[in-house]
Each structure stands twice: as C-alpha cells, then as structure tokens.
Amino acid sequence: MPKAPVTRNDVAEYAGVSTAVVSYVVNEGPRRVAPETRERVLEAIRVLGYRPNATARALRMGTTRTFGLITPDGGNPLFAELAKAIDKEASARGYVVLQTSADGDPVTEQAKIAELLIRQVSGLLLVAPTEDPDLTEVGIPVIAINRVLPSVSSVRPQYRAGARAGVKHLIEHGHRMIGLVIGGRGTGGRAPERELGWRDALRQAGLEDGPIARARFSRQGGYDAGRELLAATKRPTAIFASSDLQAVGVLRAIHESGLRVPDDIAVVAFDGTAETEYSWPPLTVVRQPLDRMAREAVSRLIDGEDAVQSLTYPTDLILRRSCGC
Amino acid sequence: MPKAPVTRNDVAEYAGVSTAVVSYVVNEGPRRVAPETRERVLEAIRVLGYRPNATARALRMGTTRTFGLITPDGGNPLFAELAKAIDKEASARGYVVLQTSADGDPVTEQAKIAELLIRQVSGLLLVAPTEDPDLTEVGIPVIAINRVLPSVSSVRPQYRAGARAGVKHLIEHGHRMIGLVIGGRGTGGRAPERELGWRDALRQAGLEDGPIARARFSRQGGYDAGRELLAATKRPTAIFASSDLQAVGVLRAIHESGLRVPDDIAVVAFDGTAETEYSWPPLTVVRQPLDRMAREAVSRLIDGEDAVQSLTYPTDLILRRSCGC
DNA sequence: TTGAAAGCGTTACCAG
DNA sequence: CTGGTAACGCTTTCAA
C-alpha cells in the first residue's frame, strides 16, 4: 500500500493557512510571510514529511533545472571523468544532470536527444556527438563538448597546440622518428587537429613525418595500432597517441614485443585521465582541462549566452616516465 | 526569442479534433480512433513539430519513468561500467536514468537522494551507499547495489565465493604465502566478505594467513598497500587485491621495486573492469557480473517485487597473465 | 499579511 | 468513435 504522497494542500490544511502561503515559505518568496505563520508552516512540513513535487513545479515554471548529458560511451574513462566534472559543476549550481550514453551510434544518439527533450531538460550537453543532429529548433541551450558543430557553441581543449606541445617534448628528448596513433579507422571518428599538431611539431623541427596508424579510440584500437607501428619498416623511436585509451593499448603492444618504455620507445598520450598515472610506466600526457571545460559548458547553459562560439582551452603537459623524463 | 513550444492544444486545433483524440493517438490508447482522424492528427504533429511534455504527463500520471542512480564516485571505472549497464538496461525498458555521484560523502549522498526524490523518480538505485539512509518512507522502490542495507533489497556479486576462487587459483599455482589488499583504512569502507573468501581459501589449503594491507579503494591506496606488503618481513609471493583500482596500484608498486609479475609476485584482482585487460601484465580477475546485476536491479524496480531480499550473483574467474597462467 | 483562483500540458472519465 | 472537462501539484497575480 504505497501511502499517498503528502501534497502542499495537506500542509496548508495542517497549518491552517492557504496553499499560497506554503508556497511563499517553501520558496522564500515572492511574498514575505509573518514569522509566526512561517513557523507553523515549517512545523507542518516537518511533521507531515512534505516534499515539493518538482514535476508540478516544472510544469508551472517551464523549467526543470535539469540538464541532459549525452556521451558516446559511458565506459570510456575520459567521458566518465568529464561527466563527473559536469555533474559536480551542475550540482553546485542547483541543477541535476540526466546522463546517458549513445553507444557511439548516431541513431541512438538522436533518440536519446528526443528522450531528453520531452523531459523538458533545461539544456543539453553533447559530448563528442557523432553526427550533427538538428539542433536549431530545440528551444533550449545546447553545447557541444570536444567537437565543434555548425549550429551550436562548443567547448574543447586546444587539440592542435596540445598535440604540438606533446610531440615537441618528445623531440626535445632527441627523438627524430615519431609515430602517430590516431582515429580514423572503424568507428571513433578522426582527430584532424591532433594530427595537425603532431605534424606542426615535426615541421618546426625540420623532421619528416613518422608512420601513422589509424585505429579506433579504444584500448584494442591502440594495441592494433601499436603492433602496426612496431612492424613498420622505419620503426619509430617514439609514439604520440591521440588518446589515453590508445596509449594504454600501445603500451601493451610494446611490452609484448619485449621492447622497453621509454628506453627503446617513448610514448606520450593525449587526454590525461587518472588511469595514465598508474600504467607502466606512468604516461606522460597532454591533459585536457576537463574541470574548466565543464565549468564553462555549464555556465553557458545557465547564463544563456546565445552567440554561437567555439571556445578552446589550453592543455597541460604532465611529465611522467613514459617520455624518458 | 524562444519560440513558444507547441502543445497538444495546437495539434488538436490544427487537426480539427479535441485534445483527447490527440492523446489517444499519441499513446495508442486507451481508446481507438478512426484511421482517417488518426492520419490527420499524425500529420498535424509532423507539421507543427509537436513533442509531448513529459513533465505534464508525469504530473498527471504520477510516474516519470525515470530512475535515480547514485554512485559513490563517477570517476571509478567499476561504477562507470555499472552505470553504463544500468543505463542500457533501463533504456531498453523505456526508462531514463538520472545519474549522479555522491563523492563518497554521506551528507552529499543524502542530499542527492532528496534531490532525486523531489523530481519524482520512479525508483532509486544506490551503488555502495556509505551510510544507511532513511529509506523506509520514500514511497518508491529502492535497491542497493554492491552493499546490503537493512531496509531495502540488494544485489551484489558473490564476494566471498569469488574471492575464494581467486585465491584458490593462486594456491593452485603453488603459492603458499598470499597477501591481501583490502579496504578499511581511510574512506572507502571495508570488504569483509572478500576478506573471508581469501581466508577460506587459505584455510582449505591448510595455509596460514598472509600479510594484510588495508587501504582505500583507489589506485593510490593500492600503491601504498603494495609497498607495505613488499616491505613486510614475510614478503608474499602472491597478492589478492580486493579491487581493480588497488590491483593497478599494487602493480605499480611491484614494478617500481624491480620485481616481476608474475615471476616474482603473482597478482589477482576482484572486479574485472576493462582497464585490467590492458595493464601490464594483464590482470587475472574475478569479474563482477555487472550486466546481470544491472538487469536484475532494474527489473526489480520496474516489476516492483516488494519483499526485501538480498540477491547475489556468481562471479567469473578470468585468467590472464598476472597469476602465472 | 494572507486567500482565491487561474493556468501550466497532460490523461481519462463521462457524455454524446 | 469523438468531444468536453476535471484533475494532477504547483506558482503567482489579484483582491481582500
């Protein structure tokens, strides 16, 4: 027997006031209420165990104070960490986030967006959306993270500069043949900016391109790519991996081949999730400023800046052992 | 100028029918509607771009088809994978999950529960809740995952049997001195069942207890614990880590000390997240049946089994290289 | 300082 | 087979 929920009516009755007064007390406005009355209402709320019904409030107010967050894959630590940062930021500002995963599938992604929209979310955060969904007419603020979309604002790390810095560091260690592991084969998208950054650094140093292995953004993809690079005719002495997951796979490929990191091959990765601090050896990484991106994304949704902008944030180079430091 | 949302009224007007009919069409019930009328309504919906308002529906129906999920830490891969499994399961059954993280803090946890309750979630999933919140009076189904609570049903792996199997495997490899890394120091709770399982296996084989290191359930905790065990007077030849995160830390501690896995020290971990397949060496793990647990937890929430039960599920022993296989 | 009442978008009952 | 309409719980304007 699921006991009927206590409504604001019950509270009003118990306290001997009107429902309006209860509302004033609960919301601390928009009208003042006499201290004594206020006490009575508070008491009634306590006694009855009243909890306001946010759906009714949302219906009336037209806003749910809820954000929808769609990631391509909740199992990817990068997205998990990003989601955590967003949740934290949103919580701090009184919002709740409806988080869901699109499983890398554009049609699932579209369906999830629709699902969130009917639930009247106050804003939408799309992490690395696979396709460009039709977003001009949704009527709520939308922001893309880690990917730029034509019709909405976006927030992402300075991929190109970050990759350049990572590769440059490898060059400073004396490497002349630096391979690249990047997206492009299978699902998982590409990463043109990181590829450009890698090339920038090589050009600046007057080096020729090292071998490129294109693979999915996964540990397995990195493993395959690593094996490919190790088998290349001109085997690189260093590898720049465009994601943590791939770097971890590369590491495994290198270990299996009996080579040593960083002595035989150095590795630097892009992303910088927690996992990289405990790989063997610990990975030198170009870290995405997740907290800052999360803060900015949430701010824009709440404060409703409506000009379409694409914002980028500087990365951090974290030196650990895999580069030879 | 945020264009006014199109409501069911607009659709009714456009199609020249009443709002009730629109409702029947949208919900495919509870009344039949003439095919021709139906077509007109569908057309109107298409033309106007109508999207039903789920908050109004929730208010009317008293159910949101939304679950609240609270994990202690969204950054922990185990919980991220579990959340993913739950999201997938819930999605398949037409539910959406509001996921949020309590950051290991009981008061945050309580606040998040309240936040979800006012949003009228249809059920609550609590992953490894830190405290026993007052849950008898919430009026919606609640299920605990990976921890048993007095007042609600729970779902968890067979910790004891799983740990026993993992340690037994180590014994079969010939190890006689097997250390344990487990929770208990700092935040992060304990793990009595896993400790019991470890001891069971040792007893069964007539072995004495190896050294125990208590630490937080984190990579850092495992690292510290690993160093502690390596410095022990009777250094173990094998270590059973009660979580993946700790095992990864243990691995790092071993590598730093110059020892080899599994030759000098074997390692087996409990959990079995994706990360362990790509550690070096790949970890032999006792895998939690996350998908099954997720399915069962969601089912119970939806189907509303109200007897308080604590359900356990068998683990899988995944053999990889860290045990010596 | 407080009360009454309208209305948010939806569902479902009751008439027609 | 379809239309009208009350009700869900809440906020807020208007009146007292």
Side-chain angles (χ1 to χ4, degrees), chain B residues 11 15 17 21-23 25-26 33 36-46:
Chain B
V11 175
V17 299
V21 176
V22 179
S23 188
V25 171
V26 170
V33 358
E36 186 211 345
T37 317
R38 181 185 152 76
E39 251 339 296
R40 274 215 319 285
V41 173
L42 255 18
E43 175 65 11
I45 289 176
R46 218 176 353 255

Side-chain angles (χ1 to χ4, degrees), chain B residues 8 23-24 50 52-53 57 60:
Chain B
R8 202 207 33 180
S23 188
Y24 301 151
Y50 166 71
N53 181 329
R57 176 171 226 269
R60 178 63 229 241

Side-chain angles (χ1 to χ4, degrees), chain A residues 177-205:
Chain A
M177 177 61 73
I178 302 175
L180 175 68
V181 172
I182 201 159
R185 194 137 71 196
T187 57
R190 315 210 314 105
E193 295 185 298
R194 279 165 272 186
E195 183 168 343
L196 288 172
W198 166 78
R199 195 164 282 123
D200 285 348
L202 297 179
R203 290 276 186 286
Q204 257 169 22

Side-chain angles (χ1 to χ4, degrees), chain A residues 222-271:
Chain A
Y223 176 72
D224 295 340
R227 287 172 57 105
E228 189 180 327
L229 254 29
L230 292 178
T233 52
K234 300 186 348 186
R235 197 175 76 195
T237 63
I239 294 177
F240 181 75
S242 56
S243 72
D244 281 351
L245 250 30
Q246 290 173 323
V248 164
V250 165
L251 242 29
R252 177 174 172 178
I254 296 174
H255 283 132
E256 282 187 4
S257 75
L259 264 18
R260 305 187 62 95
V261 179
D263 313 273
D264 300 317
I265 300 195
V267 177
V268 169
F270 198 98
D271 282 351

